[in-house]
């Protein structure tokens, strides 16, 4: 009975306090990225791993790696990345998921000070040699940042509309008498502003 009570207390109290050692919640906050399709990456040891669609915290790991931590798990996986520099001004780290062509998919971590890490994945299991060395162009990074900033501004705009919870950290918004998800609301407002 005592063991059951301690287990129940740990399960309920630790997430509320963020005090469980080793949990994702106890670490510093890292940027989150949405990977919208299965992407095949190369692990640090050269083996393959797949990132399923979902939200991931993106953490740097040394000079040539990223750790992706799924939102539904405390365990993540390491993938190979290439260091690069960029010219945009950032106050905090930013993570981007950028499809590059028909088969390449990049997860990029931009850090303040002009340095970043770029992990190149593939949308197919069959990958050409040297895919890990294909860095995303600076113009595509700039475009992805502009899209991210536009989305963040739209989310700020949504705060002016009535909302109701749809799930944990997920909302529905009422615009022009219609209830819509956050994604639908952003698309609706973007179309309306054109």
């Amino acid at each position: 009975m005592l063991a059951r009570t301690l287990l129940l207390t740990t399960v309920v109290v630790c997430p509320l306090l963020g005090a469980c050692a080793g949990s994702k919640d106890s670490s510093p906050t890292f940027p989150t990225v949405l990977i919208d399709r299965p992407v095949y990456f190369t692990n640090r040891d050269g083996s393959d791993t797949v990132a399923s669609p979902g939200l991931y915290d993106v953490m740097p790991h040394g000079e040539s790696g990223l750790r992706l931590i799924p939102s539904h798990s405390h365990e993540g996986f390491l993938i190979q990345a290439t260091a690069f520099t960029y010219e945009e001004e950032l106050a905090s780290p930013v993570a981007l998921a950028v499809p590059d062509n028909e088969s390449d998919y990049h997860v990029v971590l931009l850090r303040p000070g002009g340095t970043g890490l770029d992990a190149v994945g593939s949308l197919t299991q069959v990958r050409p040699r040297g895919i890990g060395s294909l860095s995303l162009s600076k113009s595509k990074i700039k475009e992805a940042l502009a899209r991210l900033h536009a989305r963040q501004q739209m989310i700020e705009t949504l705060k002016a509309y009535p909302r109701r919870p749809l799930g944990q950290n997920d909302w529905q918004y009422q615009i022009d008498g219609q209830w819509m998800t956050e994604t639908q609301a952003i698309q609706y407002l973007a179309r309306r502003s054109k």
Side-chain angles (χ1 to χ4, degrees):
M1 178 72 171
L2 179 61
R4 183 176 163 186
T5 304
L6 285 173
L7 177 62
L8 183 58
T9 302
T10 302
V11 169
V12 173
V13 174
C14 274
L16 293 175
L17 298 177
C20 296
S23 77
K24 185 168 74 172
D25 296 333
S26 65
S27 63
T29 303
F30 291 96
T32 302
V33 70
L34 173 65
I35 296 178
D36 62 355
R37 58 196 91 173
V39 181
Y40 298 88
F41 289 102
T42 303
N43 286 329
R44 296 284 303 267
D45 64 6
S47 63
D48 291 336
T49 191
V50 64
S52 300
L55 286 172
Y56 291 84
D57 285 346
V58 180
M59 299 171 54
H61 187 81
E63 297 298 315
S64 62
L66 290 176
R67 178 175 291 280
L68 299 181
I69 303 174
S71 62
H72 62 276
S73 171
H74 296 295
E75 296 298 319
F77 51 93
L78 291 175
I79 56 176
Q80 290 180 359
T82 304
F84 68 96
T85 59
Y86 67 96
E87 299 165 2
E88 307 299 318
E89 294 287 329
L90 295 176
S92 61
V94 173
L96 303 168
V98 185
D100 191 17
N101 54 41
E102 291 181 17
S103 62
D104 296 344
Y105 197 96
H106 296 256
V107 172
V108 177
L109 177 65
L110 303 175
R111 297 180 280 201
T115 64
L117 291 167
D118 180 4
V120 185
S122 175
L123 299 176
T124 64
Q125 281 184 291
V126 179
R127 292 178 276 182
R129 291 184 188 267
I131 189 169
S133 63
L134 304 173
S135 294
L136 193 61
S137 70
K138 290 184 181 185
S139 64
K140 289 199 178 189
I141 291 172
K142 192 171 188 170
E143 290 170 12
L145 270 174
R147 284 191 304 272
L148 177 67
H149 292 310
R151 179 175 172 78
Q152 289 170 337
Q153 288 175 345
M154 284 291 196
I155 290 171
E156 278 298 311
T157 302
L158 285 177
K159 291 180 180 179
Y161 293 94
R163 70 179 189 169
R164 63 182 179 198
L166 197 59
Q168 184 179 4
N169 298 325
D170 198 11
W171 297 92
Q172 215 176 24
Y173 296 87
Q174 186 180 32
I175 302 173
D176 295 338
Q178 298 176 345
W179 286 99
M180 38 189 108
T181 65
E182 182 177 282
T183 301
Q184 292 168 333
I186 289 170
Q187 291 170 349
Y188 181 82
L189 289 175
R191 283 191 307 268
R192 196 169 78 174
S193 67
K194 288 183 179 181

